[in-house]
Amino acid sequence: MEITFWGVRGSIPAPGPETNRYGGNTSCVAVRSERGELVILDAGTGIVNLGKKMMTQEFGQGRGEATILLSHAHWDHIQGFPFFVPVLIVGNRFTIYGPSRSSGMLEGILEGQMNPHFSPLYTLKNMGAALEIHAVGDGETFEAGGLKVTGRLNPHGTTKALAYRIEEKSRSMVYASDCGYPASGPTPEVLSLYRGADVLVHDCTYTPEDRAERLGRGFSSIADAVGAACRAQVKRLVMFHYDQDYADEQIDAMGERTRHLLDESGGKNIKLTAAAEGLTLRL
Ligand SMILES: [Zn+2]
């Protein structure tokens, strides 16, 4: 399994000279299986550059097939979708999963951003590619591109976001963005989703101090991420979904602080990576 980061920011894109190293695009991570199947986690603005790369492959000829797993439908997780060129090409096929009470409701949410008030594309039906849309229930397991996928809901402010565990043979990665845990941390069910993962990509929106001031927004601090990683005994923690106001140097400092927190919390053996656009991890 190969994991590539195309967008690592939270809430809103943050382009500019101060964010060049980690990147300013919002959430998008590509997972490629050993057999070459593609699973895309979230469709923030990072998916636009991923789409350009995909157009040089079979997707440019209308012969591509991929799965998109949405954590939830806040803008920073869907806003790249109308500008994701492979979806405009007739012949390509996408299966989209996300949290909702029904598949029809999820389709309605995605259709909402195509409304002519927001987009010249007018409707999802003008996208060209074939789209299949499925709602994912809490704890549901399904197969996507030959990979085993399980979804679990986390609280996220006034809504919920799905965390996904993706497994291929004995390898596993977990994507847990936008997690606003209560003081007690993740539920036992969510901890078991994270348990022993080779890679846990986890919401690290804030420093603990900034999170304390913005509790209602439903994001994690680096301390929350460390707590989840240690309790679930994962092998590597990947920091993700940084606040749009943090410059590269602030994220460097957050990385150092996260390493200290891991060492102090019984996570000395847990490897640490700060996600950046263009980074690829191989399992
Ligand atoms: Zn987000």
Side-chain angles (χ1 to χ4, degrees), residues 9-11 27 42 71-72 74 76-77 156 177-178 205 219 241:
R9 249 341 120 163
S11 301
S27 304
D42 277 332
S71 61
H72 63 309
H74 282 166
D76 53 323
H77 300 262
H156 173 43
S177 193
D178 301 64
T205 303
F219 295 121
H241 197 273

Side-chain angles (χ1 to χ4, degrees), residues 179-252:
C179 321
Y181 305 127
S184 54
T187 61
E189 291 79 16
V190 167
L191 279 175
S192 84
L193 185 86
Y194 298 172
R195 177 95 42 219
D198 292 296
V199 167
L200 170 63
V201 178
H202 197 286
D203 180 1
C204 277
T205 303
Y206 292 132
T207 62
E209 297 75 20
D210 284 350
R211 183 186 188 243
E213 281 178 13
R214 300 167 197 175
L215 270 184
R217 295 191 190 177
F219 295 121
S220 290
S221 71
I222 50 174
D224 299 316
V226 164
C230 289
R231 287 172 68 191
Q233 297 180 301
V234 303
K235 299 190 179 69
R236 180 185 296 274
L237 170 64
V238 178
M239 298 164 60
F240 184 73
H241 197 273
Y242 314 117
D243 182 77
Q244 67 273 11
D245 292 334
Y246 291 160
D248 288 332
E249 289 70 27
Q250 283 167 291
I251 299 174
D252 289 340

Side-chain angles (χ1 to χ4, degrees), residues 66-189:
T67 301
I68 300 177
L69 305 176
L70 299 174
S71 61
H72 63 309
H74 282 166
W75 282 343
D76 53 323
H77 300 262
I78 62 164
Q79 214 166 27
F81 187 69
F83 302 90
F84 175 52
V85 181
V87 95
L88 302 175
I89 308 296
V90 175
N92 288 335
R93 306 184 67 82
F94 291 91
T95 311
I96 303 173
Y97 295 89
S100 197
R101 258 172 285 170
S102 72
S103 300
M105 241 171 118
L106 179 62
E107 183 168 347
I109 291 165
L110 297 176
E111 186 68 88
Q113 76 166 339
M114 301 299 169
N115 179 292
H117 290 299
F118 305 117
S119 163
L121 292 169
Y122 216 87
T123 164
L124 277 181
K125 294 171 184 67
N126 285 338
M127 296 304 260
L131 305 178
E132 214 183 290
I133 298 173
H134 296 289
V136 179
D138 193 19
E140 200 178 320
T141 294
F142 52 97
E143 204 187 289
L147 300 167
K148 183 184 166 199
V149 179
T150 307
R152 270 284 172 206
L153 287 169
N154 271 318
H156 173 43
T158 55
T159 184
K160 289 184 170 169
L162 271 174
Y164 291 101
R165 183 183 182 103
I166 301 179
E167 293 169 276
E168 181 176 46
K169 294 178 189 154
S170 62
R171 297 307 206 175
S172 56
M173 74 85 73
V174 173
Y175 176 83
S177 193
D178 301 64
C179 321
Y181 305 127
S184 54
T187 61
E189 291 79 16

Side-chain angles (χ1 to χ4, degrees), residues 18-29:
E18 295 190 333
T19 56
N20 264 343
R21 266 196 295 122
Y22 289 96
N25 281 301
T26 56
S27 304
C28 181
V29 179

